[in-house]
Structure formats: C-alpha cells, structure tokens
Amino acid sequence: MTQSLPARRSPSPFRLKFAAAASRLSLPLMARIPDPVKRLMLGRRSITIEGNTLDTTLQLMLNAQRLSGVDGLVASDDVDVARNQLDSVASALRAPVVVPVHDFTIPGPAGALPVRHYAAEPGAPLLVFFHGGGFVVGSLDTHEGLCRRICHDAGVHVLSVDYRLAPEHKAPAAGEDCLAAYRWSVEHVGELGADPRRIAVGGDSAGGNLAAVVTQAARDTGLALPILQLLIYPMVDPQGETVSRTLFADGYFLTKADIDWFNTHYIGGADISPTDVRVAPLRATDLSGLSPALVLTAGFDPLRDEGAAYGAALAAAGVPVDLREYGSLTHGFVNFFPLGGGSDVALTDLTSALRAHLSR
C-alpha cells in the first residue's frame, strides 16, 4: 500500500525555537494563575460545543499555542523536529513525583527493547504502559510525569515500554514490541516485585490502540489475559469517520492533519491494511472474552467517538466496561495535569478508578 504525505504547513525553524522557548516559560506559570484571571485573559469568552464547555486552562493553553505559530500536536513535517518539539513541551510540563525508577532492556522482536520501571510497594499490581504519540513521536521521557503520577497515586508498578516508532519501523512493529513486553511481564513479574495475578495493560492515544491490540492478541494466542485494559482516548480505527473527527478537526491540540500524518507514517507503505485488527482493533469481528476495560474519552477530542464506540462494542460483547467522558477536556489531558484545572482533576479520577479496578 502506497500513500503520499498529506500537505501541511511547517513553521520556520525560528518560529519553532520561539514556540519551544515560550512553552518553557509560560506552561509552568499557567497552573499558578487563578481561574478568574484566566477568564479575564480570554476576554471572558468560552467555547461550548454539544453542551460541553472547554476547560478554561486548556482554552488559554490552546490560545497561547496558536499565538506561538504552532497549531496541533505535530509541530513540523520533519519527524526529528516534531519529536524534539514534543520533548521540549513535555519537559516544560514535567512535574515529577518521587518514586523509584529503573531503566533496563528486555528481549524484543528486533533486539533489545528499552523499558522503564516505576516501582510501587512489593505485591502491588503492575501496569504495562504504552505511550502515545501517533506511533511516530513520544518516548519514555514524554510520559515520565504521567507514569510517575500513576505509580504514586494509584499505588501500582508501571513498566513503560519504548517501542519502535514509525516511519523507521512500519506497522505492525509497535504492536509486536508491546506484545513482547507484555509477555515478558507475565513471565518476569516477580522480578519487578509486582503481583502476578494483577497485570494490566494501558496507554494513551496510540498507546491505547496498542493496549487494545495486545489484549486481543493475548486472547487469540492463549497468553494470560491482562486483568484490565486502560484505554485513554484510544485511536482504534485509522480510517474512522466520526462526528468528533469532523467537529474537532482543527484547533483542539490533536488535529485531522496530525492524524493523517501519523497514519501515513505508520501504515502508509506497510504490508498491512488500515482495517487489519493489528492497527484497527475496533474492526475486530469478535470482542468476546477480552479483559475488562476502563475507557476514557475527552469531549473536545477528534478521537472521542471511536473510543466511545469501542467501549460500547466491548460491552455488547459481554466485556465489563467503565466508560468515562471528560466533557470539558481535549486530547492529551493526562499529560496536561501540571497545568491544573480540569486535566488535573481528571487524572486524579483516573488514578482513583485504576486503583479501584486493580484492587478487585
């Protein structure tokens, strides 16, 4: 399958440097600004769509992003530049929680696979975590703050997986790495000090896709099922045509142009169909017998409807589903918690729900 890259506008190198510097200065300060002041800075204007009103903090962040000349998750068509820009934003948002951390490698399908272990109390559950970033950007470092927060607040071990990225490694390389990491975790959970009866998988966006893919593959190959699949605004159908993809195609952090760019790099030119369940878990004809799911969506996210559709399809197949929509938030909210506002409240709810599900 061949596919050309969608046309995009890339900011100049100067504009990108300016945006990175602005992020480093403004993002750490945003959480300290009282909400009434944020509203004044926005001219008391709010955004309401389908009955949801955009979180004030995120509205201010999106305004600042547009003023910097960068609109969307992907800052540039140049893959290396896009990765560096996301690293810069993640660094500005970093609010580390102190937990023990250990980096090491495990065997993967293409060689050594880097992982990062955030340690909880001995005998606590284990979450095998797959970071988001459209299969192209993102890393252990971009999700460092989130993994620390999950480990600390939910009281779980977290094993974050640095799977291979596209376009260097096309689909289904990322899924193969994540399945290998889950299999290793099942076989070596004792080495991490975690409870072998309580191993979950999870991730955000592309990572949510990978968690769903791993869960289906575990069932189909006879591997022990995860006790839970944590799906944070998952992308589960590359060719999905939903209302939310149209409503929020531009201006709400993740854009249609971003999604097309990711899909082209991950699936374009790969020997795999975009409807293959290894990249489109929503297309599976049989969802029965899968792990219980905690599914989170955001009201201002182009992926909102497909996440809800996957939760509904799982429930229709008899799978226990806890579906939670955070109506005022955008894609990426679990990484925006250092800004405060609704993102921080939602992450607190997430970790509380995760702790409850894994304690059963």
Side-chain angles (χ1 to χ4, degrees):
M1 181 181 68
T2 59
Q3 188 176 357
S4 60
L5 282 169
R8 294 173 56 87
R9 183 182 66 181
S10 294
S12 67
F14 172 79
R15 177 70 73 175
L16 290 172
K17 289 182 180 179
F18 172 77
S23 294
R24 287 193 296 270
L25 291 172
S26 64
L27 291 177
L29 297 174
M30 200 168 292
R32 303 177 186 177
I33 303 174
D35 200 63
V37 176
K38 292 176 185 176
R39 294 182 185 278
L40 284 174
M41 294 171 69
L42 292 167
R44 300 190 183 277
R45 292 185 297 270
S46 61
I47 299 173
T48 300
I49 299 176
E50 293 189 328
N52 291 323
T53 299
L54 183 62
D55 176 75
T56 302
T57 300
L58 294 183
Q59 185 181 348
L60 187 63
M61 182 203 76
L62 293 170
N63 279 11
Q65 184 188 46
R66 281 190 289 271
L67 288 172
S68 74
V70 177
D71 186 17
L73 193 160
V74 178
S76 169
D77 280 340
D78 184 295
V79 171
D80 289 332
V81 172
R83 289 172 180 167
N84 290 337
Q85 194 74 11
L86 185 61
D87 288 344
S88 177
V89 172
S91 178
L93 284 170
R94 192 162 294 158
V97 176
V98 177
V99 295
V101 179
H102 177 216
D103 287 3
F104 59 102
T105 62
I106 61 175
L113 183 59
V115 295
R116 181 170 293 168
H117 176 216
Y118 303 84
E121 293 296 322
L126 169 66
L127 172 67
V128 184
F129 184 83
F130 314 125
H131 67 77
F135 312 100
V136 179
V137 299
S139 65
L140 298 180
D141 291 337
T142 60
H143 286 63
E144 166 91 0
L146 173 62
C147 289
R148 285 177 177 269
R149 178 80 178 265
I150 290 174
C151 173
H152 181 272
D153 289 10
V156 300
H157 294 267
V158 179
L159 188 73
S160 186
V161 181
D162 196 17
Y163 56 85
R164 289 172 289 167
L165 297 177
E168 298 90 340
H169 306 284
K170 296 285 189 177
E176 291 171 348
D177 283 358
C178 292
L179 180 60
Y182 174 66
R183 181 179 289 110
W184 182 91
S185 299
V186 170
E187 296 171 352
H188 297 267
V189 61
E191 298 173 22
L192 301 176
D195 184 349
R197 301 165 301 173
R198 295 185 292 166
I199 304 175
V201 295
D204 63 309
S205 194
N209 172 292
L210 293 167
V213 167
V214 166
T215 302
Q216 290 187 18
R219 180 200 61 183
D220 296 342
T221 59
L223 185 61
L225 279 172
I227 190 175
L228 180 76
Q229 46 182 327
L230 171 64
L231 311 179
I232 305 170
Y233 34 77
M235 191 286 289
V236 287
D237 186 4
Q239 292 189 328
E241 296 181 1
T242 62
V243 171
S244 63
R245 284 206 184 193
T246 300
L247 276 178
F248 309 111
D250 189 48
Y252 298 96
F253 186 63
L254 177 67
T255 68
K256 181 183 184 301
D258 293 336
I259 295 171
D260 291 344
W261 190 80
F262 290 141
N263 286 340
T264 299
H265 278 309
Y266 186 51
I267 304 171
D271 188 22
I272 189 172
S273 165
T275 60
D276 190 298
V277 296
R278 291 173 293 171
V279 295
L282 181 57
R283 301 274 183 154
T285 56
D286 180 13
L287 297 175
S288 63
L290 294 173
S291 307
L294 173 57
V295 185
L296 285 69
T297 63
F300 288 80
D301 184 356
L303 302 185
R304 179 196 66 191
D305 292 352
E306 64 198 79
Y310 193 59
L314 288 170
V319 176
V321 175
D322 181 356
L323 174 63
R324 303 182 181 211
E325 179 182 316
Y326 299 93
S328 67
L329 304 182
T330 67
H331 193 86
F333 71 77
V334 293
N335 292 103
F336 297 148
F337 73 88
L339 301 179
S343 299
D344 187 53
V345 173
L347 183 56
T348 298
D349 184 62
L350 183 161
T351 55
S352 177
L354 181 62
R355 179 189 286 271
H357 279 286
L358 296 182
S359 67
R360 295 174 182 172

